[in-house]
Amino acid sequence: MLSALEKYDPQIYELITQEQARQSGALMLIPSENYVSQAVKQASGSCLTNKYAEGYPNKRYYEGNQVTDLIETIAIERAKKIFKADHANVQPYSGSVANLVAYNALIKPGDTIMGLNLSSGGHLTHGSSGSITSKIFKAVNYDVDFKTGYLDYDAIADLAKKHKPNLIISGLTAYPRQIDFSKFNEIAKSVGAFHLSDIAHIAGLVVAGLHQSPVPYADIVSTTTHKTLRGPRGGMLLCKKEYAEKIDKAIMPGQQGGPHMHTITAIAVALAEADTEEFILYAGQILKNAKRLAEKLMEYGFDLVSGGTDNHLMLIDLRNKGVPGKKAAKALDRARVVTNFNTIPGDPAPPLSPNGIRIGTPAVTTRGMKEEQMDRIAGFIKTVIENVDDESVIEKVNREVLMLTSQFPVPDHFMLPGRIKKHPLTETN
Ligand code: DSN
């Protein structure tokens, strides 16, 4: 494929090559990023990108969907199996779309939604002031306890009683602790609200049994497919049987036209990869690495929100180091340590210049890095932050990172041992 690209569009070919080199020579610590397998990449770049398939398997508005019907059915069945869900829809283009679809399926414009504040680790689509979700709906936000950094379920229950939301969202993009979805469900039900759980960040941990699953509790569960789940960039919805038709209709014709069949094909592959012993070990190592990285950073005097992590990510409050988050993230990037600047709970600084950075371990774990390498990464972060204005020190770290990453090549061709079993659907057809 690349040779054709090289021939016809050398400029784009060259840029892809540069990006490949960047990804390979850097420590990708953004907790929402990961590396997909060659099998997922191949499915994503396949001829399925050519096909329109509006509708659902065996109920399409276009002809020629004999193969896409089988592929989408396999993806749905694999999703239902690994998440133990009654119903799955694999068509949402992204996590943001999936959340909007869930709102549209359950509530109406003008209703009240209640989600985690962006600055406390929530997502834009959980009712943030800049998001259309706060324009269509009345948005109420809960925060983490600013002193402990943890969710305070009593305070959330009180807020729910006060505002009587129609829908409560549980879920995170920058909360470093486990979430008790059963408690969220109790709170939602006590005020007659629907419960949407957004597990975009932790889907892989949920599948591996390393985080409580919201599937038995929430009315609808939304997720992306490309973070800890390690699939292509996409979205997915899971729900109880009673909401199946509502969800399907809210996606098509409610919000989307033709599904991206190449993405759904790659999602199917990723879901099978996640249904293996190797994936469970991978998810376990993500957590071990995160814990070790957090411990080492704290040893170096870094202030971690909530005093550590019990998932794949952590938030560093940089105020005691006297370095703003953006300045820190830019300096780290020059040293090939890629993070993102992030608000910390109750951050007095604006979101474009916050006091924190967010880091996580899913991508470096995919490269095979373990606790020993986490110690080195913590050392890189310490050196850069303590020498944030010294380009010669940053350049030295840059070279050390390059040496470390060369020992853990991007698993561009990593394959799981053995082959994914043939699905009975294609055996009988
Ligand atoms: N952009 C994602 C993240 O980085 O967490 C959330 O959508």
Side-chain angles (χ1 to χ4, degrees), residues 32 123 173 201 227 358:
S32 45
H123 189 251
T173 64
H201 264 260
K227 296 183 176 107
R358 184 184 67 152

Side-chain angles (χ1 to χ4, degrees), residues 1-14 17:
M1 190 189 84
L2 278 189
S3 59
L5 194 56
E6 188 174 14
K7 190 168 159 203
Y8 290 108
D9 197 336
Q11 188 181 19
I12 291 295
Y13 173 78
E14 168 59 23
T17 308

Side-chain angles (χ1 to χ4, degrees), residues 47-223:
C47 64
L48 270 297
T49 199
N50 299 333
K51 189 66 196 115
Y52 254 118
E54 255 137 321
Y56 290 101
N58 306 314
K59 282 175 272 172
R60 306 281 187 193
Y61 292 85
Y62 291 74
E63 297 314 313
N65 277 301
Q66 297 84 349
V67 174
T68 54
D69 279 356
L70 294 174
I71 290 175
E72 188 169 347
T73 304
I74 290 171
I76 290 167
E77 287 190 6
R78 286 179 178 170
K80 281 163 60 179
K81 178 175 178 234
I82 64 172
F83 286 101
K84 300 184 180 65
D86 291 347
H87 181 71
N89 189 309
V90 292
Q91 293 197 1
Y93 300 143
S94 70
S96 295
V97 173
N99 284 344
L100 280 169
V101 165
Y103 298 149
N104 284 332
L106 298 175
I107 56 174
K108 49 184 194 321
D111 281 355
T112 301
I113 59 171
M114 189 174 123
L116 182 59
N117 212 336
L118 189 66
S119 62
S120 272
H123 189 251
L124 285 166
T125 56
H126 297 176
S128 165
S129 60
S131 155
I132 192 161
T133 53
S134 68
K135 298 179 175 68
I136 302 177
F137 307 107
K138 183 168 171 268
V140 175
N141 288 140
Y142 54 89
D143 277 290
V144 295
D145 179 322
F146 294 157
K147 279 205 200 82
T148 63
Y150 277 78
L151 287 169
D152 176 345
Y153 294 94
D154 292 335
I156 296 168
D158 287 345
L159 201 67
K161 269 191 207 108
K162 184 173 166 202
H163 292 279
K164 303 237 172 330
N166 303 89
L167 184 145
I168 294 181
I169 307 127
S170 59
L172 63 109
T173 64
Y175 179 65
R177 296 294 176 179
Q178 298 244 339
I179 294 183
D180 188 337
F181 296 116
S182 69
K183 270 197 187 147
F184 263 105
N185 211 48
E186 268 171 38
I187 295 170
K189 295 311 149 205
S190 74
V191 295
F194 290 110
H195 177 197
L196 166 67
S197 182
D198 177 348
I199 57 164
H201 264 260
I202 55 169
L205 307 179
V206 168
V207 165
L210 299 172
H211 192 295
Q212 186 192 67
S213 170
V215 172
Y217 307 109
D219 298 302
I220 297 180
V221 176
S222 69
T223 186

